[in-house]
Amino acid sequence: QKEVEQDPGPLSVPEGAIVSLNCTYSNSAFQYFMWYRQYSRKGPELLMYTYSSGNKEDGRFTAQVDKSSKYISLFIRDSQPSDSATYLCAMKTSYDKVIFGPGTSLSVIP
Amino acid sequence: EADIYQTPRYLVIGTGKKITLECSQTMGHDKMYWYQQDPGMELHLIHYSYGVNSTEKGDLSSESTVSRIRTEHFPLTLESARPSHTSQYLCAGAAGDEQFFGPGTRLTVL
């Protein structure tokens, strides 16, 4: 079993939809959780970073962490065509390296 | 935007050739990383460095080598390229837990 699981998609939604992206993990020692966005032929860029259970909001993006269920989510409100990208979840323990999920490919259709 | 530069962006080369992928940064990050990414797959850490003259192998076995003679540069070298090395190579620098990625080098070995 991989440490971090993520549905690869592809996920296709109409413009304006609410998007939900999810990851599950098996290592209960993970304490820091991140979401990266990767456009085609570019490197990933950090979108959200959190280290506690609960919600963290930044504009149209909300990151949610449920440590008891080992489950994290990224919600995108009012999705735009410019949100079309691959979204990678990532996480780490307090002392170890970052582990990335395989990414979910998202297309927002105008 | 983080300043992580990678050259070349694209490289097509024949089997057996020696190649060096360049990575440089202007932010003074002590931590730098090399990842390998295949389509639809998670990033695999192949090398990392926590400072000058410090290099470690990552989780994914790789026939490449790295050096860190200066803080700004973290080149990756393949002594004898093979078709199995065909992939995207991403370099990153880190401030704390946040990693800043370069645009990547897409390598094709014929």
Side-chain angles (χ1 to χ4, degrees):
Chain A
Q1 182 188 8
K2 292 185 177 181
E3 281 192 284
V4 179
E5 302 271 5
Q6 186 175 8
D7 186 340
L11 181 63
S12 184
V13 301
E15 183 175 354
I18 296 174
V19 177
S20 173
L21 305 168
N22 310 298
C23 284
T24 58
Y25 61 94
S26 57
N27 187 350
S28 58
F30 284 140
Q31 295 184 29
Y32 304 94
F33 304 91
M34 292 149 276
W35 284 95
Y36 282 81
R37 177 176 62 195
Q38 185 175 21
Y39 290 114
S40 180
R41 306 209 181 274
K42 297 286 181 82
E45 56 178 329
L46 184 68
L47 269 181
M48 301 285 284
Y49 172 84
T50 184
Y51 53 85
S52 59
S53 284
N55 293 351
K56 180 178 180 180
E57 191 173 315
D58 184 0
R60 296 185 295 111
F61 298 91
T62 299
Q64 186 176 81
V65 174
D66 183 346
K67 289 185 179 180
S68 62
S69 301
K70 299 191 184 70
Y71 189 90
I72 68 171
S73 298
L74 177 71
F75 297 98
I76 307 174
R77 291 186 299 280
D78 188 24
S79 56
Q80 302 295 309
S82 58
D83 295 327
S84 298
T86 296
Y87 290 81
L88 307 164
C89 64
M91 47 199 79
K92 69 183 294 292
T93 66
S94 59
Y95 57 86
D96 210 345
K97 299 170 289 295
V98 177
I99 305 296
F100 288 86
T104 298
S105 175
L106 171 68
S107 291
V108 180
I109 310 302
Chain B
E1 185 174 317
D3 293 333
I4 306 288
Y5 303 97
Q6 289 187 247
T7 57
R9 291 293 312 279
Y10 304 92
L11 180 61
V12 180
I13 200 164
T15 296
K17 299 292 186 183
K18 177 181 178 179
I19 58 171
T20 296
L21 308 184
E22 299 289 348
C23 177
S24 61
Q25 53 122 345
T26 59
M27 299 185 74
H29 294 311
D30 285 328
K31 297 178 184 178
M32 295 191 75
Y33 305 84
W34 275 103
Y35 292 89
Q36 190 171 336
Q37 185 182 35
D38 294 312
M41 302 295 289
E42 59 266 42
L43 278 70
H44 288 290
L45 181 67
I46 50 176
H47 295 284
Y48 62 99
S49 168
Y50 286 165
V52 171
N53 294 325
S54 155
T55 62
E56 301 286 345
K57 287 187 178 293
D59 303 319
L60 182 68
S61 175
S62 173
E63 293 161 339
S64 57
T65 59
V66 292
S67 63
R68 191 85 184 278
I69 298 172
R70 289 161 49 185
T71 300
E72 299 80 18
H73 294 148
F74 191 40
L76 181 145
T77 298
L78 278 166
E79 290 294 331
S80 180
R82 294 211 299 268
S84 60
H85 296 138
T86 294
S87 188
Q88 166 140 296
Y89 293 83
L90 289 162
C91 178
D97 293 324
E98 181 174 357
Q99 296 193 18
F100 299 93
F101 286 85
T105 293
R106 188 169 296 273
L107 172 66
T108 301
V109 183
L110 303 176

